[in-house]
Amino acid sequence: MTMKQFIYLIISAGLVASCNEVNQQAQESISKEIPEPQYSLSNSQTHNKFSRSISPALSVPNGSVIEFNTEEATDGQLNSNSTVKDLASVSFDPIHPLTGPVFIEGAQPGDILAVTLHKIEIKDWAWTAIFPGFGFLAEEFTEPYLK
């Protein structure tokens, strides 16, 4: 079983007039109930880079509520039964899968999108690791570690 996160978002396309307006909208959304998702993306609808060449997985009207099911950072290469020995076989090619992308109907290049995160659920398990030779402190942490 892989870890999945369920993220509910309200997506609004359009120019945001000021930071004060954004803060006011954020405060108003905190006091509201969590809306039901109108659309859903599965954790199989992923890619691992930002590129305009990637076709949208979903096209939605402005203001839609979307449920994003995301994959854990190794795109399923690690699981709750993984051991430190499994770190040696992790491929960095699919690292950091991104669910989407989502096209907001009516949005134009240069528009600022306001996004509200209504809920984040983290399921079942998680991991943290040290990959030898990887990261900002690679020379300090040379032995693999998995928790």
Side-chain angles (χ1 to χ4, degrees), residues 84-134:
V84 72
K85 291 178 183 178
D86 295 318
L87 296 180
S89 63
V90 170
S91 168
F92 280 73
D93 291 336
I95 291 292
H96 298 298
L98 306 167
T99 303
V102 174
F103 178 80
I104 309 301
E105 297 166 4
Q108 299 295 317
D111 284 352
I112 297 172
L113 301 179
V115 176
T116 301
L117 292 171
H118 291 283
K119 183 176 183 179
I120 299 175
E121 284 184 31
I122 299 179
K123 299 288 187 177
D124 303 316
W125 67 279
W127 63 267
T128 189
I130 295 173
F131 290 85
F134 181 76

Side-chain angles (χ1 to χ4, degrees), residues 130 133-142:
I130 295 173
F134 181 76
F136 292 115
L137 299 173
E139 65 281 349
E140 299 290 325
F141 298 96
T142 57

